[in-house]
Amino acid sequence: MMSNNTYYEQQQPPQYYQSTDNGDDEEEEMPATEKDLAEDAPWKKIQQNTFTRWCNEHLKCLNKRINDLQKDLTDGLKLIGLLEVLSQKKMYRKYHARPNFRQMKLENVSVALEFLEREHIKLVSIDSKAIVDGNLKLILGLIWTLILHYSISMPMWEDEDDEDAKKLTPKQRLLGWIQNKVPQLHINNFHRDWRDGKALGALVDNCAPGLCPDWETWDPSQPVENAREAMQQADDWLGVPQVTSPHYLHFPPGLTWFSSHNLNSFVLVKLI
């Protein structure tokens, strides 16, 4: 789902499931994608909750809050506020402070999207109508693009060579950074290797020795408790906001924390 640091080309190939119909007529296998695209698809709710928390962490300084990601960006004001916080810049043109009509909302969102274009942040298939109409899939794609640009693609890694970094995708950069932080573990993905919570404990302890010193003895059959311990220690001692619930860590297809070197900008995102 994501191309050139956008969300859209990272979808896994559709998996298939067999029909449970025991009738005489056998049904053909149907793509699981149909279930994945349902309004109540589990991945969509998890992603929506996670991205909402990420947005709210940045909107705190404006005393603004998003309760429903699908609805609360439709007038463009909170989206504009979020972009100004992330970029530390003002919009390039005026917008409606009180967008009471649909056309005003469309114009506000257009201001935000034009700002991203001028900041050289590439968007695919996102227009103002999609945001105003509450197209959740495209809104999630927009927020993921912001996460990629402002929390991953910006220079955040110590001793990273710029030319080498340009050759890697954000996902590859993250994986390499984590592998350097926890060389004692064989972490090769962002799903299976994180589900027991021990890798998260190891990451927190390697970034700040002493926070999770006993992570190696954690019971792998208690993944939620392990993740909760690591996240709580990071929250209490490092100021790392808990932008998701611990039980999401081992929910398929997988979620993982990542951070800058000093852990000041921990975020949790879905890496498909």
Side-chain angles (χ1 to χ4, degrees):
M1 289 187 352
M2 199 179 74
S3 176
N4 295 329
N5 288 357
T6 54
Y7 175 80
Y8 301 96
E9 292 177 2
Q10 282 199 345
Q11 281 281 33
Q12 294 284 357
Q15 297 178 351
Y16 291 84
Y17 63 94
Q18 281 282 39
S19 168
T20 56
D21 185 0
N22 294 323
D24 294 334
D25 295 326
E26 282 192 12
E27 294 187 7
E28 294 183 1
E29 290 182 342
M30 298 296 289
T33 303
E34 293 181 11
K35 294 192 295 184
D36 292 340
L37 295 179
E39 289 300 317
D40 59 348
W43 72 265
K44 190 177 293 186
K45 179 57 65 175
I46 291 174
Q47 197 172 64
Q48 184 176 358
N49 291 340
T50 300
F51 287 7
T52 298
R53 295 186 187 190
W54 183 84
C55 292
N56 285 334
E57 282 297 320
H58 293 284
L59 289 172
K60 281 181 179 178
C61 60
L62 301 180
N63 292 319
K64 293 184 178 181
R65 180 176 179 81
I66 293 173
N67 295 310
D68 187 334
L69 197 61
Q70 188 170 12
K71 299 177 181 178
D72 291 355
L73 300 182
T74 56
D75 65 5
L77 293 179
K78 290 181 180 177
L79 178 58
I80 287 172
L82 179 63
L83 294 180
E84 290 186 338
V85 169
L86 292 171
S87 67
Q88 295 297 297
K89 297 178 182 179
K90 294 294 184 181
M91 292 294 105
Y92 293 118
R93 63 185 179 92
K94 293 182 179 180
Y95 55 88
H96 302 284
R98 295 182 178 179
N100 298 318
F101 302 102
R102 177 178 172 83
Q103 186 58 37
M104 292 180 175
K105 297 177 182 179
L106 289 168
E107 290 173 3
N108 278 0
V109 175
S110 293
V111 169
L113 298 182
E114 288 172 15
F115 175 85
L116 292 175
E117 184 178 357
R118 292 184 65 170
E119 291 293 297
H120 307 292
I121 300 174
K122 184 176 178 59
L123 301 175
V124 176
S125 302
I126 300 177
D127 57 20
S128 56
K129 184 176 181 296
I131 306 302
V132 173
D133 290 343
N135 186 316
L136 181 57
K137 183 178 179 181
L138 295 184
I139 291 172
L140 292 175
L142 172 62
I143 301 303
W144 173 237
T145 301
L146 298 182
I147 291 172
L148 279 176
H149 183 79
Y150 290 107
S151 291
I152 305 179
S153 296
M154 301 297 284
M156 288 175 24
W157 280 266
E158 195 175 73
D159 302 326
E160 182 179 60
D161 185 87
D162 289 341
E163 290 303 316
D164 288 342
K166 291 177 182 178
K167 300 175 184 178
L168 301 176
T169 66
K171 185 174 179 179
Q172 290 171 328
R173 294 175 68 195
L174 277 175
L175 187 58
W177 179 83
I178 292 170
Q179 288 170 338
N180 287 332
K181 276 292 179 184
V182 286
Q184 64 270 53
L185 293 181
H186 299 290
I187 298 178
N188 298 307
N189 55 64
F190 290 101
H191 38 92
R192 291 185 304 275
D193 293 345
W194 295 84
R195 287 180 180 168
D196 64 7
K198 295 180 70 172
L200 183 56
L203 178 61
V204 171
D205 194 64
N206 274 270
C207 289
L211 287 187
C212 300
D214 58 343
W215 64 266
E216 292 182 270
T217 66
W218 287 359
D219 185 353
S221 68
Q222 300 292 326
V224 175
E225 291 303 315
N226 295 341
R228 180 177 291 113
E229 173 68 14
M231 294 170 74
Q232 192 62 55
Q233 291 293 339
D235 193 351
D236 290 343
W237 298 99
L238 299 170
V240 176
Q242 296 191 44
V243 293
T244 192
S245 298
H247 73 271
Y248 286 164
L249 187 71
H250 65 287
F251 193 100
L255 301 169
T256 187
W257 253 2
F258 61 87
S259 77
S260 65
H261 175 68
N262 62 7
L263 293 168
N264 282 338
S265 58
F266 253 39
V267 291
L268 188 147
V269 295
K270 181 172 180 172
L271 292 174
I272 302 175

